[in-house]
């Protein structure tokens, strides 16, 4: 799979045991070494912390630098840097390897006797995107072309532990982005009604009873079913053969399909793309799967969830806790350590403060040890500190596990230590003809638009003579749909400091009050914007963060600007739209380094 590198590369990664940055760099380097044997090797030196600190002090003299953190990385006996430096080097290395070889790494002729040109296993966002894009190249004119389908897409929903199933379209449509945003909107709508007397709505009209969960659920599920139907129709129109069957790889050209009745058939293709995504993780504790639920279940519960304990501090955990509180249900978030790991921690704490202000109870430093069900049907969660909490629903939102138990390793495909699929910059696995995209890819981003984009690019390279590669860097904008939304693009403050050095950054920030929050005197102490700029590059914006209403609508434009290399001056020279939250990005003047107050006055 690898191409000939100009010179074999040897990385030596040295750090102290337990250092997350060392472990991250070592893990990624070992994955690259697995993909490019002979061209790339990685030597990992694991020390205890005192030993490392003594050793690294000696290296500052040897390499004439001031690097003292874990890890210290060398490339061919030359100093390379720390964790971020090696991750960036590995990204560029894989890109160069991809450019040095053919995008299509098999030598089989275009003419073949397989059933299809392409089989896609997984009908989620990435799987649908790559199926439709590939079909558009292989059979222009789609279903009206008169040609037999050359692309087959397999999709099958394995029920959750409590038996929840759903239709075609994958996680995003059925148990992810779409229902999450709609329940978030339901909670915001309820909150708007509560505040409406300040705008003249009679108090009696604005009084709220309990949310009618069944109505919300039914309306949202009806919308999802319309998307399911439309998605199947799009496959047919695009001349993609859709099979509601579970796919399992037999070899690099053959897939065994099992339908819902258990009947099996075998189909073949010149190429196979795996896009099976992931499923929610459960803790290894008594009663978790018997009495707990996950995001696979919450959106279609027949009865109102009632008092809910949410276990986890991921964005899924906080989003679900936020809308449950907003809909009027008592909600407790059980948080083992920090909220929103991997995101900017100043912003994460603002989100938690806002959620607590709106009624969500947050319990830190504990984990569940068991879940029991009482005769009444209520659940009892036992905390690691011995406390027992009685509730109606226990929702686990502790991350996701790649759904790769489909014969991948049996045919020789390399999986990373996390269980995800190791791929190169062209999304190729370690087995020729087999590719992977979406949430199952090691080093990718678990975001629907990323899966869609990577799928379209892959189809273009395979069948459209195109060369676009997916950029998995952190310049991808995204939004966390907590009660106060969090929009982000680029580096967190912590990562920017580690990557560029605090002395090389200028960080602009401001607290603000959305105009629509002023009349009802809503607390806006957690509405905040932060712009992280790189001094050495004319204050190029390398990180943008905002907590506000409708942050997602703001961040899409910011993402475009940052892709174009926008600087602080570009934002300053842009005329703001008044009065909006978004104009805050054009008026930032206070820097963190100045120590001046970031509070704003006026309109």
């Amino acid at each position: 799979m690898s191409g000939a590198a100009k010179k074999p590369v040897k990385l030596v990664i040295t750090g102290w045991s337990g250092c997350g940055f060392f472990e991250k760099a070592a893990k990624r380097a070992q994955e690259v070494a697995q993909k490019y044997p002979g061209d790339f090797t990685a030597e990992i030196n694991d020390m205890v912390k005192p030993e490392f600190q003594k050793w690294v002090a000696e290296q500052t003299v040897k390499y004439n630098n001031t690097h003292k953190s874990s890890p210290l990385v060398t490339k061919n006996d030359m100093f390379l840097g720390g964790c971020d430096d090696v991750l960036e080097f590995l990204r560029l290395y894989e890109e160069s390897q991809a450019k040095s070889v053919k995008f299509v790494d098999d030598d089989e002729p275009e003419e073949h006797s397989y059933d299809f040109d392409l089989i896609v296993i997984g009908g989620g966002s990435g799987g649908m995107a790559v199926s439709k894009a590939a079909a558009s190249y292989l059979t222009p004119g789609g279903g009206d072309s008169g040609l037999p389908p050359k692309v087959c897409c397999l999709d099958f929903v394995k029920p959750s532990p409590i038996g929840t199933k759903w239709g075609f379209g994958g996680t995003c449509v059925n148990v992810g982005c779409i229902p999450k945003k709609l329940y978030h909107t339901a909670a915001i709508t309820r909150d708007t009604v509560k505040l409406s007397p300040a705008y003249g709505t009679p108090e009696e009209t604005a009084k709220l009873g309990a949310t009618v969960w069944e109505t919300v659920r039914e309306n949202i599920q009806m919308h999802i079913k319309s998307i399911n139907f439309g998605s199947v129709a799009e496959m047919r129109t695009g001349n993609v053969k859709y099979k509601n069957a579970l796919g399992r790889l037999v070899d690099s050209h053959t897939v065994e399909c099992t339908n819902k009745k258990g009947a099996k058939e075998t189909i073949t293709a010149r190429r196979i793309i795996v896009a099976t995504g992931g499923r929610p993780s459960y803790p290894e504790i008594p009663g978790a799967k018997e009495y707990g639920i996950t995001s696979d279940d919450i959106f279609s519960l027949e009865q109102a969830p009632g008092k809910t304990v949410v276990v986890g501090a991921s964005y899924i955990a906080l989003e679900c806790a936020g809308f449950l509180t907003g809909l009027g249900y008592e909600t407790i978030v059980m948080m083992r350590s920090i909220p929103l790991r991997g995101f900017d921690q100043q912003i994460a704490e603002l989100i938690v403060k806002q959620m607590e202000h709106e009624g969500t109870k947050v319990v830190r430093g504990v984990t569940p040890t068991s879940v029991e069900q009482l005769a009444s049907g209520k659940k009892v969660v036992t905390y690691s500190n011995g406390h027992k909490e009685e509730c109606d629903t226990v929702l686990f939102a502790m991350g996701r596990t790649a759904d790769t138990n489909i014969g991948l390793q049996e045919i020789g495909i390399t999986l990373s230590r996390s269980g995800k699929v190791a791929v190169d910059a062209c999304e190729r696995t370690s087995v020729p003809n087999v590719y992977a995209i979406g949430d199952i890819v090691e080093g990718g981003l678990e975001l629907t638009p990323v899966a869609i984009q990577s799928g379209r690019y892959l189809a273009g390279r395979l069948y459209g003579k195109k060369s676009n590669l997916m950029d998995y860097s952190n310049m991808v904008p995204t939004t966390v749909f907590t009660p106060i939304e969090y929009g982000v693009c680029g580096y967190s403050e912590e990562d920017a400091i580690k990557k560029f050095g605090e002395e090389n950054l200028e960080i602009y920030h401001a607290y603000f009050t959305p105009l629509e929050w002023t009349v009802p005197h809503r607390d806006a102490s957690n509405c905040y914007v932060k712009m992280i700029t790189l001094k050495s590059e004319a204050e190029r914006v390398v990180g943008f963060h905002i907590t506000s209403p409708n942050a997602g609508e703001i961040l899409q434009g910011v993402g475009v600007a940052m892709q174009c290399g926008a600087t602080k001056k570009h934002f300053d020279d842009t005329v703001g739209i008044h009065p909006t939250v978004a104009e805050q990005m054009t008026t930032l003047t206070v820097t963190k380094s100045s120590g001046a107050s970031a509070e704003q006055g006026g309109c």
Side-chain angles (χ1 to χ4, degrees), residues 339-360:
L340 295 178
R341 185 177 300 279
F343 289 88
D344 189 286
Q345 283 304 293
Q346 179 191 8
I347 303 293
E349 291 298 340
L350 289 177
I351 291 170
V352 172
K353 282 175 60 181
Q354 184 69 24
M355 291 180 66
E356 289 179 312
H357 174 75
E358 296 187 9
T360 302

Side-chain angles (χ1 to χ4, degrees), residues 363-377:
V363 182
R364 297 184 185 240
V366 294
T367 56
T369 59
S370 68
V371 181
E372 302 169 83
Q373 181 166 283
L374 303 177
S376 64

Side-chain angles (χ1 to χ4, degrees), residues 127-207:
M128 285 194 295
V130 72
S131 297
K132 291 187 290 186
S136 72
Y137 293 115
L138 290 166
T139 54
D144 296 330
S145 66
L147 298 171
K150 296 185 178 182
V151 178
C152 179
C153 181
L154 306 176
D155 185 66
F156 187 86
V157 178
K158 290 175 283 188
S160 73
I162 69 165
T164 305
K165 295 187 290 185
W166 49 87
F168 180 59
T171 297
C172 172
V173 167
N174 294 282
V175 290
C177 317
I178 299 302
K180 175 264 302 284
K181 179 71 180 294
L182 292 174
Y183 276 100
H184 169 67
T185 302
I188 289 174
T189 301
R190 189 172 188 271
D191 189 56
T192 300
V193 173
K194 285 164 59 179
L195 298 173
S196 65
Y199 284 103
T201 300
E203 291 279 356
E204 289 302 314
T205 304
K207 283 185 177 178

Side-chain angles (χ1 to χ4, degrees), residues 309-472:
V309 173
V310 179
V311 181
S314 64
Y315 69 90
I316 296 173
L318 299 190
E319 287 174 335
C320 289
F323 75 67
L324 288 172
T325 299
L327 292 175
Y329 304 111
E330 182 181 353
T331 307
I332 301 169
V333 174
M334 184 189 294
M335 193 181 298
R336 177 175 60 87
S337 55
I338 62 173
L340 295 178
R341 185 177 300 279
F343 289 88
D344 189 286
Q345 283 304 293
Q346 179 191 8
I347 303 293
E349 291 298 340
L350 289 177
I351 291 170
V352 172
K353 282 175 60 181
Q354 184 69 24
M355 291 180 66
E356 289 179 312
H357 174 75
E358 296 187 9
T360 302
K361 181 180 178 182
V362 177
V363 182
R364 297 184 185 240
V366 294
T367 56
T369 59
S370 68
V371 181
E372 302 169 83
Q373 181 166 283
L374 303 177
S376 64
K378 288 188 176 291
K379 315 298 188 296
V380 175
V381 184
T382 301
Y383 293 11
S384 54
N385 62 7
H387 173 76
K388 292 182 181 291
E389 188 71 48
E390 186 175 310
C391 61
D392 299 294
T393 301
V394 182
L395 172 64
F396 294 108
M398 307 166 57
R400 298 175 68 81
T401 302
D403 190 4
T404 53
N405 186 24
I406 56 169
L408 300 182
Q409 288 181 296
E410 287 84 344
I411 70 165
I413 290 177
T414 300
L415 301 185
S416 68
R417 287 192 293 178
S418 69
K420 292 190 173 186
V421 180
V423 298
D424 66 8
C426 292
E427 278 90 27
R428 286 176 296 207
T429 70
S430 53
V431 171
N433 316 308
V434 183
Y435 301 76
I437 59 170
D439 291 2
I440 61 166
V441 169
E442 180 62 41
L445 300 171
E446 295 185 6
L447 297 169
T448 290
V450 171
I452 293 171
Q453 183 100 312
S454 62
R456 289 172 177 166
Y457 280 173
L458 176 54
R461 293 195 303 273
L462 293 177
Y463 303 110
K465 299 181 180 180
K466 298 183 183 295
S467 59
N468 302 72
L469 291 173
M470 184 63 207
D471 179 6
Y472 289 104

Side-chain angles (χ1 to χ4, degrees), residues 45 51 98 107 192 222 251 296 328 332 335 343 404 556-557 576 580:
N45 296 323
E51 179 188 8
D107 295 321
T192 300
M222 286 298 292
D251 58 41
D296 278 354
I332 301 169
M335 193 181 298
F343 289 88
T404 53
Q556 190 65 77
T580 64

